[in-house]
Amino acid sequence: MIYHPKTPQEAVNLRKEHADTAVYLAGGTDDLRLGGDAEGKDLIDITGFDFNTITEKDGKVYIGALCTLQDVAESELVPSFIREAALFCASFARRNSATVGGNLGLRRSDSYLAAALTAAEAVIKSVTPHGEREKPVGEYLQSDCLRLIEYIVVDRDRKGSVKRFGNTSASHAALIAAESEGVYALSVQGSALVYGASPDIADKAGYIDDLTGSAAYKKYLAGIVFASGR
Ligand SMILES: Cc1cc2nc3c(=O)[nH]c(=O)nc-3n(C[C@H](O)[C@H](O)[C@H](O)COP(=O)(O)OP(=O)(O)OC[C@H]3O[C@@H](n4cnc5c(N)ncnc54)[C@H](O)[C@@H]3O)c2cc1C
C-alpha cells in the first residue's frame, strides 16, 4: 500500500502510527529494490514535497532532503568535501535518483554522506510528531527516531576532507573518514558511526570481518587515516 500524505506533518504522523510497517518513499533506490529494508512494508510517498532545492541564507546552505546526490555533487553552494562524498555513489543512475534524506534515513554503516555531514557539524531540520525540530546529523544517525528530514543545514564556508576505502569505486566501502575544522567522523562497515573532537576515535568503533575486509584491516585503516592526512 502507498500512502499519499498532503503535508510533511501528515507523513510523520503516518510513520509514527505505522512505525513497524511503513517507511518514507523518496528516491526509491533502496525502498523499491528486492531485499531492501522496505520489502514487505507500506510506503509513505514524500516525493511531492517542496524540500527539493539547495539554497543559501546568511552563510548557511540549506540542502533539501529530496535533492539527489547528483544535485549535491553539482552545487557550488555545497562545501567541496561534501560534494566529494556525494560522488562516492559511483553509479550515475543511482546518484541521480538517490536522495540526501534517503541516504541519512537508512543509517547505513557505509553511508556515502554520514561521515562528511557529521564532521561538518551539519544540522537536520525536520518534522516530528511534536512539530518542527533541529538535530545534529551525528546525533540523528546514532538514534532511531522516525522524524521526516526536510533540510540539512551546513556552513557555506566549511572546510574539510573525506576519504573512502573500498575494493572498487562500485563496491561497498570498508571505511569512510571525514575531518572538518577539528571534528572527526568515521563510518566503518558493520559498526555504528563514531565521531568526536579528537582524531583518536578509532577505538570507539566496532570491527567485524565481512566482504569489505577483515576486522583487523578496518581497524588499521581507522587508526591511521587521520594521522596520514596531517
Ligand atoms: C546496489 C545498491 C548499492 C548501494 N550502496 C550504497 C552504499 O554503498 N552506501 C550508501 O549509503 N547507500 C547505498 N545504497 C542505498 C541507497 O541507494 C542510498 O543510500 C540512497 O541515498 C537512498 O536514497 P533514496 O532517496 O533512494 O531512499 P529511499 O529508497 O526512497 O528510502 C530509503 C529509506 O530512507 C528513509 N527516508 C527517505 N527519505 C527520508 C527523509 N526525508 N527523512 C527521513 N527518512 C527518509 C525511508 O524511510 C527509507 O527507509 C545502495 C543501494 C543499492 C540499490
Side-chain angles (χ1 to χ4, degrees):
M1 172 174 181
I2 304 187
Y3 298 97
H4 296 285
K6 293 203 168 37
T7 63
Q9 191 64 59
E10 203 185 316
V12 172
N13 295 345
L14 278 167
R15 181 95 203 262
K16 187 178 178 203
E17 197 180 328
H18 306 282
D20 297 328
T21 54
V23 294
Y24 302 123
L25 172 66
T29 59
D30 193 80
D31 279 353
L32 302 181
R33 77 181 168 90
L34 286 174
D37 278 359
E39 195 168 73
K41 293 191 176 167
D42 294 328
L43 299 172
I44 303 166
D45 183 2
I46 61 166
T47 58
F49 293 147
D50 64 358
F51 38 86
N52 55 7
T53 56
I54 301 178
T55 54
E56 182 191 0
K57 192 177 173 200
D58 300 332
K60 305 269 184 202
V61 180
Y62 291 75
I63 305 172
L66 286 169
C67 291
T68 65
L69 299 178
Q70 184 65 19
D71 293 333
V72 172
E74 286 178 3
S75 172
E76 293 191 358
L77 293 176
V78 177
S80 59
F81 68 106
I82 297 172
R83 296 171 67 184
E84 201 182 324
L87 289 169
F88 288 158
C89 181
S91 150
F92 175 76
R94 187 148 27 90
R95 206 164 66 228
N96 209 31
S97 305
T99 66
V100 173
N103 189 258
L104 295 179
L106 282 169
R107 296 183 172 86
R108 286 175 60 126
S109 61
D110 59 359
S111 163
Y112 306 118
L113 297 177
L117 289 175
T118 300
E121 296 182 289
V123 169
I124 281 172
K125 264 174 73 73
S126 58
V127 182
T128 76
H130 317 289
E132 300 226 322
R133 294 284 187 278
E134 295 193 355
K135 200 178 187 88
V137 168
E139 276 181 34
Y140 169 82
L141 291 169
Q142 289 182 334
S143 75
D144 55 5
C145 66
L146 306 177
R147 64 184 61 207
L148 178 69
I149 303 169
E150 293 188 303
Y151 290 94
I152 313 298
V153 188
V154 64
D155 288 343
R156 167 84 175 93
D157 296 328
R158 193 82 189 196
K159 302 280 183 289
S161 62
V162 64
K163 290 192 178 78
R164 172 191 184 277
F165 298 85
N167 289 333
T168 71
S169 62
S171 43
H172 296 306
L175 182 136
I176 297 177
E179 182 279 331
S180 174
E181 301 183 12
V183 183
Y184 300 81
L186 275 179
S187 293
V188 180
Q189 183 74 248
S191 167
L193 174 91
V194 296
Y195 62 98
S198 148
D200 304 318
I201 52 173
D203 287 343
K204 290 193 199 173
Y207 301 94
I208 56 163
D209 296 330
D210 62 23
L211 280 178
T212 67
S214 67
Y217 167 66
K218 289 185 240 176
K219 192 167 186 184
Y220 167 74
L221 290 176
I224 56 122
V225 66
F226 295 122
S228 66
R230 279 184 238 155

